[in-house]
């Protein structure tokens, strides 16, 4: 065991002795194994003689939504959920989910341990216009560290992949969490053995050791550990010039076949009262050119004018 | 009360302590109370009660998934008639379905102990509303017990059976999502067998014709009086006198009345306050309430959802405060209680420590990668129909980018709603979409109604072979029972034809082109047409995983056709084409349903080549045929 005397991490457990429970919030995305490591931690805390409450969300969470699980233990635990600002250790299996729950962390002493894994939901990709950015959290580990006293961004998923099982990323994080509590390592390993699928015990024990070692290295400032922390790429907007999309429809050539209307990904075309194609929702059109390519009669042309083109056209009109 | 006393008298050291969720504890309590018959229809957050009961030995109790909550309650009532202890479990809105039987059974009472476990969903984690079940208890004059943790969930469920038999009444054990899904240590007892009391042959009590019901109503009111007397002194209602910290010097003293899941929040925020903890929120013990209110200067009622106890107390002329400090909407939390107590002036405001709050990412639940509903709703949307939706995973198809349904009301509403829309002359063709389990639950009577009244609608029966939304429970269409035994299987096509539907087609949900075509034909048909889209859920009963697909990045023209699926395995890559993001597939999430390949406009999505399966592997369905 490491020397714990001047370690912020141990304060969480020390405070339990004055009847305040230790509060661990474990968050992620449906299917990542949030509940599994929550159960393991709750089981371990109970085996150490603490009263434990573990509270989770069900139902919709399974469908790729955000999942969170509160684990509280101490001599006496009342509320099953952790009050805002009272989380001692926030464990996140996904980057944006970690950021979502940061306001729940104890402002002075809370520890943040987060996988840098990014799971971008389909919802982040709704604005398809040329030049539109991905709507995903932009904060980097460096920014988080500027606001949180003790924050670790750990590439747990990659570490688990290197062990040959990306599903073990949650146990890598559990290993990291274990350094913040004073339970014996052997008991932690027993908890892991108890809750992971039988066939994966060996790889998960390795994963646990990796996570534990990584945090110890990071605390000591070992260069290898700090290098292991990935450079976090900010989602980047398309570098191309933004376009203005313009559809040129030749009504006389349209024979009302409906192909463009049915296949438009943005569903922004329709046949008008004369059954001639028209752009019904101009703001939805992204200029993908499918209608232009699919029209058997060349009735639609898509113009992607660059900003410079538009300026030139306006200047031309004035002359 | 004998059983509960026995349990309490068992020395603590011989009672094993296990971490249980509230639902598991309710199931354990029912088992310990000697329940013989248990029935439920799955519904979050109540589902695990019957799932847990199904794990106890089959020779000790019969546990079943029923087709809906009314059937489940009727089954439990039947067992009670026969003299056995019985339990029905449901979510709050399930009680609406069972309400007809519930209201009448309130008059009949109980021969064998009859308990309803009803789980409310304050905060609407996974429901269509947040109605308050306590009002049902009052409405029917049926007692409502409210456990506040898993230990009480077990103890109160045991007690509920005793109360039921002693007072000749059904008893509701009310849980909420938080209790149902929180794991905490529970001391276990042993099962006390309650042999059948035998059928009680008493038409005046068991047959609710007007002459009998008039007499029974009087009996029900007498029962209410007796229950109130019992609850004046019952151990489940208790006053916890406050410590010193409960009375800040120089301020009037205050007390808190609370029940159920709110109690731990109160204790979290006010560890030393005077508290009247009600184990039964209906009926309320008037004397106890008065005594408590007289012992303090101010009384605050802390209850989630409706001001139920508050109104009762006010009606008794007690000056209590409640909803002017605490919200009537949503789930409580220690923070919300703290804010309420601060507003009421009984807690000193704490410094708001402004933390750093990054802008949160929107991550609504979505249909799974490879979900067969995805293609159904792609086709539905392309058909341009007005769509009445229903309850199930597919309700998520109302969100972008699928945006494939217009309404969702309650279980089985889709077909009835569609009949009304068509009758009202909606300008679009009218369609109802309904899942297999929901169809069996409440869709069949409305489909009969559609045929009978010759509605011009199309019904899309989304058959994914499981009750998916609640985590994969068996139902009469799956061929398995709750305990996993073989069972007869509903033949939907034969059922629908027997009702009188002339136009029925079964299609493969993954064959998108065919789905489009069949939907057009169904809409063109004048009268009731039924399409059964047939593919198993990708999660339950077995996880489906075929070879993943990959997008040839250089060929992708970023048209976004595949992104219209809303598939969680598809996201934007780093590259762009004409300013738009190219798409990439997360191969660990992709199950190889090939829907994206079917809609790809440049044919650039192919199964990943893999040494074991040869080039391209063997996809779940043939691509581009």
């Amino acid at each position: 065991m490491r020397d714990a005397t001047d370690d912020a991490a141990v304060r969480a457990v020390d405070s339990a002795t004055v009847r305040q429970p230790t509060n661990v919030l474990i968050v992620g995305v449906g299917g990542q194994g949030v509940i599994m490591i929550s159960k393991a931690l709750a089981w371990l805390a109970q085996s150490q003689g603490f009263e434990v409450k573990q509270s989770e969300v069900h139902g919709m969470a399974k469908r790729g939504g955000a999942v969170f699980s509160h684990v509280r233990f101490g001599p006496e635990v009342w509320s099953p959920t952790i009050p805002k600002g009272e989380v001692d250790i926030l464990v996140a299996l996904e980057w944006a989910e970690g950021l979502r729950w940061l306001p729940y962390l104890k402002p002075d002493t809370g520890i943040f341990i987060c996988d840098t894994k990014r799971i971008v939901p389909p919802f982040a990709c709704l604005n398809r216009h040329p030049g539109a950015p991905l709507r995903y959290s932009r904060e980097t580990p460096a920014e988080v560290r500027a606001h949180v006293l003790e924050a670790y961004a750990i590439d747990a998923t990659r570490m688990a992949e290197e062990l040959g099982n990306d599903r073990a990323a949650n146990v890598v994080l559990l290993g990291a969490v274990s350094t913040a509590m004073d339970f014996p390592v052997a008991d932690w390993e027993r908890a892991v053995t108890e809750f992971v699928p039988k066939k994966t015990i060996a790889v998960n024990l390795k994963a646990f050791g990796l996570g534990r070692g990584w945090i110890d290295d990071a605390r000591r400032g070992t260069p290898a550990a700090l290098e292991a922390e990935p450079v976090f790429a900010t989602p980047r907007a398309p570098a191309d010039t933004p376009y203005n999309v313009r559809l040129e429809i030749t009504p006389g050539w349209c024979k009302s076949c409906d192909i463009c209307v049915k296949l438009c990904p943005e569903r922004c075309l329709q046949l008008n009262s004369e059954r001639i194609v028209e752009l019904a929702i101009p703001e939805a059109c992204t200029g993908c050119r499918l209608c232009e390519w699919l029209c058997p009669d060349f009735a639609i042309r898509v113009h992607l004018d660059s900003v410079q083109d538009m300026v030139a056209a306006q200047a031309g009109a004035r002359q | 009360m004998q059983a509960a006393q026995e349990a309490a008298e068992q020395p603590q050291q011989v009672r094993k302590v296990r971490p249980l969720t509230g639902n598991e504890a309710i199931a354990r309590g029912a088992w310990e109370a000697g329940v013989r018959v248990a029935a439920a229809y799955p519904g979050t957050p109540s589902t695990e009660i019957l799932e847990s009961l199904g794990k106890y030995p089959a020779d000790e109790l019969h546990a079943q998934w029923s087709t809906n909550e009314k059937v489940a309650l009727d089954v439990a009532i039947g067992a009670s008639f026969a003299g056995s202890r019985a339990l029905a479990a449901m979510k709050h809105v399930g009680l609406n379905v069972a309400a007809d039987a519930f209201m009448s059974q309130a008059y009949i009472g109980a021969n064998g102990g009859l308990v309803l476990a009803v789980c409310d969903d304050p905060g609407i984690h996974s429901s269509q509303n947040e109605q308050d079940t306590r009002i049902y208890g009052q409405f029917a004059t049926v007692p409502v017990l409210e456990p506040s943790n898993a230990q009480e969930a077990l103890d109160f469920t045991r007690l509920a059976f005793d109360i039921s038999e002693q007072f000749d009444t059904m008893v509701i054990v009310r849980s909420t999502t938080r209790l149902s899904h929180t794991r905490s240590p529970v001391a276990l007892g042993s099962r006390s067998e309650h042999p059948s009391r035998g059928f009680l042959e008493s038409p005046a009590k068991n047959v609710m014709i007007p002459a009998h019901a008039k007499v029974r109503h009087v009996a029900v009111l007498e029962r209410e009086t007796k229950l109130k007397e019992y609850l004046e002194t019952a151990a489940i209602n208790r006053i916890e006198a406050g410590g010193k910290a409960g009375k800040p010097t120089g301020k009037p003293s205050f007390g808190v009345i609370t029940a159920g899941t709110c109690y731990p929040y109160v204790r979290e925020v006010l560890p030393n306050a005077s508290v009247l903890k009600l184990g039964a929120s209906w009926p309320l013990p008037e004397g106890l309430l008065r005594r408590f209110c007289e012992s303090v200067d101010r009384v605050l009622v802390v209850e989630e959802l409706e001001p139920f106890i508050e109104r009762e107390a006010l009606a008794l002329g007690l000056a209590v405060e409640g909803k002017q400090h605490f919200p009537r909407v949503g789930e409580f939390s220690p923070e919300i209680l703290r804010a309420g107590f601060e507003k009421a002036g009984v807690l000193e405001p704490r410094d708001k420590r402004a933390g750093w709050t990054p802008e949160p990412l929107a991550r609504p639940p979505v249909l799974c990668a490879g979900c067969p509903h995805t293609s159904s709703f792609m086709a539905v949307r392309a058909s341009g129909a007005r769509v009445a939706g229903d309850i199930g995973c597919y309700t998520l198809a109302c969100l972008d980018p699928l945006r494939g349904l217009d309404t969702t009301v309650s279980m089985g509403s889709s077909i009835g709603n569609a009949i009304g829309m068509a009758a009202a002359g909606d300008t679009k063709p009218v369609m109802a979409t309904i899942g297999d389990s929901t169809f069996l639950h409440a869709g069949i009577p409305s489909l009969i109604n559609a045929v009978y009244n010759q509605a011009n609608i199309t019904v899309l029966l989304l058959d994914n072979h499981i009750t998916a939304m609640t985590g994969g429970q068996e139902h009469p269409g799956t061929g398995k029972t709750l305990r996993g035994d073989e069972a007869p299987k509903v033949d939907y096509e034969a059922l629908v034809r027997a009702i009188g539907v002339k136009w029925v087609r079964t299609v493969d949900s993954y064959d998108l082109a065919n789905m489009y075509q069949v939907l057009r034909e169904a809409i063109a048909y004048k009268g009731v047409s039924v399409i059964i889209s047939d593919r198993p859920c990708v999660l339950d009963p077995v996880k489906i995983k075929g070879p993943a697909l990959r997008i040839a990045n250089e060929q992708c023209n970023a048209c976004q056709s595949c992104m219209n699926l809303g598939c969680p395995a598809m996201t934007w890559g780093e590259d762009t084409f004409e300013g738009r993001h190219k798409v990439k597939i997360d191969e660990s999430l992709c199950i190889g349903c090939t829907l994206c390949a079917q809609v790809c406009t440049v044919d650039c999505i192919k199964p990943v080549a893999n040494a074991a399966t040869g080039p391209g592997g063997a996809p779940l369905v043939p691509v581009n045929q």
Side-chain angles (χ1 to χ4, degrees):
Chain A
M1 289 291 289
R2 70 205 145 70
D3 179 47
T5 45
D6 59 342
D7 198 336
V10 193
R11 281 202 298 271
V13 166
D14 285 347
S15 68
T17 56
V18 290
R19 298 196 78 71
Q20 285 300 314
T22 300
N23 298 322
V24 185
L25 182 59
I26 304 177
V27 303
V29 176
Q32 281 195 298
V34 167
I35 306 300
M36 197 273 272
I37 57 170
S38 306
K39 280 183 174 174
L41 174 59
W43 181 87
L44 174 63
Q46 198 187 335
S47 75
Q48 308 287 316
F50 290 109
E51 184 177 334
V52 184
K53 280 191 177 158
Q54 184 237 322
S55 187
E56 64 205 37
V57 288
H58 269 217
M60 300 295 232
K62 207 169 180 182
R63 319 297 136 206
V67 183
F68 54 91
S69 171
H70 301 249
V71 183
R72 312 190 75 195
F73 60 91
E76 188 176 58
V77 181
W78 285 110
S79 168
T81 54
I82 306 167
K84 199 171 182 176
E86 300 283 319
V87 171
D88 295 301
I89 306 162
L90 173 56
V91 189
L93 277 62
E94 200 271 352
W95 184 249
E97 291 310 312
L99 296 175
R100 181 195 309 283
W101 293 97
L102 264 181
Y104 275 71
L105 201 59
K106 247 179 210 167
D108 322 315
T109 57
I111 302 169
F112 180 59
I113 299 174
C114 188
D115 194 341
T116 50
K117 164 94 174 164
R118 294 165 54 202
I119 299 178
V120 179
F123 236 64
C125 308
L126 286 182
N127 184 353
R128 299 148 170 192
H129 286 88
L134 190 71
R135 274 198 321 203
Y136 185 87
S137 308
R138 301 192 171 278
E139 288 79 4
T140 61
E143 276 175 84
V144 173
R145 270 194 297 272
H147 290 91
V148 179
L149 206 62
E150 197 173 352
Y152 303 98
I154 170 170
D155 201 355
T157 303
R158 189 185 46 78
M159 287 158 78
E161 271 166 9
E162 283 169 9
L163 286 177
N165 187 345
D166 60 348
R167 311 267 315 146
N170 58 346
V171 177
V172 173
L173 285 164
L174 194 68
V177 173
S178 74
T179 60
M181 291 172 210
D182 257 353
F183 303 138
V185 179
D187 291 354
W188 279 103
E189 289 177 345
R190 212 163 27 246
V192 171
T193 310
E194 188 83 10
F195 285 89
V196 301
K198 287 275 173 296
K199 278 187 280 183
T200 64
I201 289 175
V203 68
N204 274 299
L205 286 177
K206 269 191 208 155
F208 179 83
L210 268 185
R212 200 174 158 86
W214 190 91
I215 293 274
D216 279 345
D217 287 353
R219 284 224 182 87
R220 279 193 227 105
T222 313
L226 293 178
E227 275 165 28
E229 196 169 318
V231 179
F232 203 73
T234 313
R236 114 185 120 78
D240 317 44
T241 322
Y243 294 103
N244 180 55
V245 178
R246 192 160 51 86
L247 249 61
E248 181 189 344
I249 297 173
T250 313
W253 292 355
C254 173
K255 64 175 182 222
S256 322
C257 74
D258 217 13
I259 290 174
C260 57
V261 175
K262 282 281 185 284
L263 278 149
C264 171
E266 310 309 323
R267 295 131 164 168
C268 61
L269 298 174
Q270 68 178 28
L271 296 186
N272 65 15
S273 52
E274 276 99 51
R275 298 194 51 78
I276 301 298
V277 66
E278 65 177 16
L279 181 57
I281 316 168
E283 63 276 16
C285 176
T286 65
C288 73
R289 296 186 192 274
L290 275 190
C291 51
E292 180 181 70
W293 291 333
L294 292 166
C295 178
D297 301 287
F298 308 104
I300 306 179
R301 283 194 65 190
V302 176
H303 299 279
L304 299 179
D305 302 334
S306 70
V307 176
Q308 290 92 323
D309 291 343
M310 288 161 65
V311 171
Q314 276 169 3
R318 272 198 296 274
Q319 284 165 7
Chain B
M1 308 298 107
Q2 204 187 341
Q5 265 164 20
E6 275 171 22
E9 280 160 15
Q10 275 179 333
Q12 284 296 319
Q13 60 267 32
V14 303
R15 291 179 71 181
K16 278 189 217 157
V17 176
R18 289 277 176 280
L20 297 183
T21 62
N23 282 346
E24 289 164 349
I26 289 172
R28 176 80 193 189
W31 176 79
E32 289 183 11
V35 75
R36 300 284 310 163
V37 175
Y41 179 80
T44 311
S46 70
T47 311
E48 299 83 6
I49 297 174
L50 252 281
E51 282 184 332
S52 307
L53 276 168
K55 290 177 187 139
Y56 292 98
D59 58 340
E60 290 180 345
L61 64 97
H62 168 84
Q64 66 163 248
W65 289 129
S66 303
T67 40
N68 66 36
E69 292 86 354
K70 176 177 159 49
V71 175
L73 180 55
D74 282 332
V75 168
I77 289 171
S80 169
F81 273 136
S84 288
R85 291 195 157 189
L87 174 113
M90 57 198 67
K91 66 185 294 180
H92 57 322
V93 286
L95 186 50
N96 300 335
V97 178
D100 198 5
F102 172 74
M103 295 303 289
S104 300
Q105 185 63 22
Y107 280 22
I108 295 172
N111 181 26
L114 180 57
V115 173
L116 249 75
V118 185
C119 302
D120 286 10
D121 190 15
I124 322 188
H125 296 280
S126 185
S127 298
Q128 63 267 44
N129 72 18
E130 51 180 354
Q131 67 187 45
D132 189 329
T133 294
R134 298 175 300 170
I135 293 169
Y136 261 118
Q138 183 187 34
F139 191 17
T141 327
V142 163
V144 180
L145 305 189
E146 280 204 79
S148 69
N149 60 30
Q151 181 67 60
E152 285 188 356
L154 187 154
D155 295 340
F156 285 18
T157 306
R158 277 191 86 148
L159 177 66
F161 280 98
D162 295 337
I163 293 177
S164 172
E165 287 177 359
Q166 186 183 336
F167 292 92
D168 189 8
T169 178
M170 258 184 307
V171 179
I172 292 177
V173 174
R174 181 203 186 218
S175 174
T176 64
T177 306
R178 192 55 60 190
L179 170 60
S180 287
H181 292 166
T182 294
R183 209 168 266 105
S184 60
V186 178
L188 307 180
S190 50
R191 178 171 165 99
S192 53
E193 285 297 341
H194 286 261
S196 171
R197 302 167 143 202
F199 193 94
L200 178 72
E201 289 185 16
S202 169
K205 185 170 181 291
N206 296 341
V207 184
M208 282 304 99
I209 55 171
H212 298 164
K214 283 174 193 168
V215 179
R216 289 301 302 167
H217 194 183
V218 177
V220 165
L221 298 184
E222 286 167 358
R223 179 177 82 197
E224 186 189 335
T225 309
K226 284 185 197 146
L227 276 162
K228 279 183 177 166
E229 274 168 29
Y230 160 71
L231 289 167
E232 289 286 354
T233 54
I236 56 169
N237 291 333
R238 63 169 188 263
I239 292 176
E240 298 173 354
K244 281 194 193 114
K247 189 175 179 179
T249 42
K251 280 199 170 187
S253 66
F254 70 93
V256 177
I257 301 177
T258 191
T261 359
C262 300
Y263 171 74
Y265 299 139
V266 171
R267 276 284 168 242
E268 176 84 25
V269 179
L270 299 170
N272 300 307
S274 291
V275 172
L276 169 55
K277 182 191 178 298
L278 295 169
S281 50
W282 178 262
L284 291 174
E286 188 183 333
L288 188 63
L289 286 176
R290 283 194 192 287
R291 258 188 290 136
F292 182 72
C293 291
E294 281 159 11
S295 72
V296 286
D297 299 324
R298 281 177 79 187
V299 176
L300 303 169
V301 180
V302 177
E303 53 189 329
E304 268 172 344
L305 303 177
E306 296 305 308
F308 181 78
I309 299 170
E310 182 186 348
R311 279 186 186 151
E312 285 301 306
L314 289 172
L316 291 171
L318 301 168
V320 301
E321 304 159 50
K323 291 296 172 189
Q324 66 262 55
H325 308 303
F326 302 97
R328 200 172 153 181
V329 173
E331 188 184 14
F332 278 4
S333 64
E335 306 84 286
I336 288 173
L337 257 64
R338 170 164 278 281
F341 287 128
E342 286 176 4
K343 199 170 155 198
V346 302
L347 257 187
E348 292 301 326
R350 208 161 48 169
D351 289 343
K352 295 269 184 300
R353 293 185 286 187
W356 180 54
T357 307
E359 194 186 335
L361 170 80
R363 194 189 298 276
V366 291
L367 294 174
C368 302
C371 176
H373 297 324
T374 303
S375 59
S376 298
F377 279 92
M378 286 290 279
V380 165
R381 171 124 190 209
S383 73
R386 176 76 63 214
V387 184
D390 222 303
I391 309 264
C393 295
Y394 48 93
T395 316
L396 296 173
C398 72
L399 300 175
D400 275 321
L402 279 173
R403 247 197 303 153
L405 55 86
D406 296 303
T407 65
T408 293
V409 185
S410 70
M411 290 291 286
S413 288
S414 57
I415 300 174
N417 292 160
I419 297 168
M421 290 172 190
D426 198 301
T427 50
K428 290 179 168 186
V430 179
M431 187 181 291
T433 60
I434 183 166
D436 47 344
S437 191
T438 309
F439 177 69
L440 296 170
H441 176 287
I444 297 170
S446 44
L447 185 59
I448 294 172
N449 185 66
V451 174
Y452 171 56
N453 289 298
Q454 297 152 63
N456 183 21
I457 61 167
T458 298
V459 176
L460 178 55
L461 175 52
L462 305 158
D463 180 12
N464 64 354
H465 311 189
I466 203 87
T467 317
M469 182 87 241
T470 44
Q473 287 74 31
E474 306 293 344
H475 63 65
T478 66
K480 289 245 175 76
T481 68
L482 169 65
R483 288 186 187 274
D485 301 327
E486 293 288 313
K489 210 169 167 175
V490 171
D491 178 345
Y492 297 106
E493 215 172 301
L495 171 70
V496 164
R497 285 194 194 284
I499 285 170
V501 177
K502 300 277 182 269
W503 198 106
V504 190
R505 291 274 289 279
T506 300
V507 295
D508 177 356
S509 317
Y510 283 167
D511 187 349
L512 201 47
N514 192 38
M515 284 282 288
Y516 279 68
Q517 182 58 30
V518 171
L519 231 63
R520 280 165 74 130
E521 289 171 27
I523 286 171
Y525 178 80
K526 289 273 170 284
V528 180
S529 49
V530 174
I531 303 165
I532 301 163
S533 72
D534 183 31
R535 268 280 169 177
C537 171
V538 296
L539 285 183
D540 295 300
V542 283
K543 263 208 165 100
I544 292 172
K545 176 82 179 156
L549 284 89
R550 188 176 290 167
I551 295 176
N553 188 50
E554 63 286 359
Q555 277 168 269
C556 175
N557 64 349
C559 76
Q560 313 291 332
S561 289
C562 54
M563 289 301 283
N564 279 345
L565 296 164
C567 173
M570 313 199 75
T571 187
W572 283 339
E574 297 294 315
D575 296 332
T576 59
F577 178 79
E578 291 190 341
R580 298 181 310 277
H581 296 267
K582 291 189 178 191
V583 181
K584 72 172 180 198
I585 294 175
D586 180 338
E587 287 166 22
S588 67
L589 288 176
C590 175
I591 69 140
C593 73
T594 74
L595 288 175
C596 53
Q598 293 179 47
V599 298
C600 179
T601 54
V602 290
D603 197 16
C604 73
I605 308 182
K606 301 283 182 207
V608 176
N610 145 341
T613 52
L620 292 176
V621 286
V623 185
N624 291 345
Q625 281 191 346

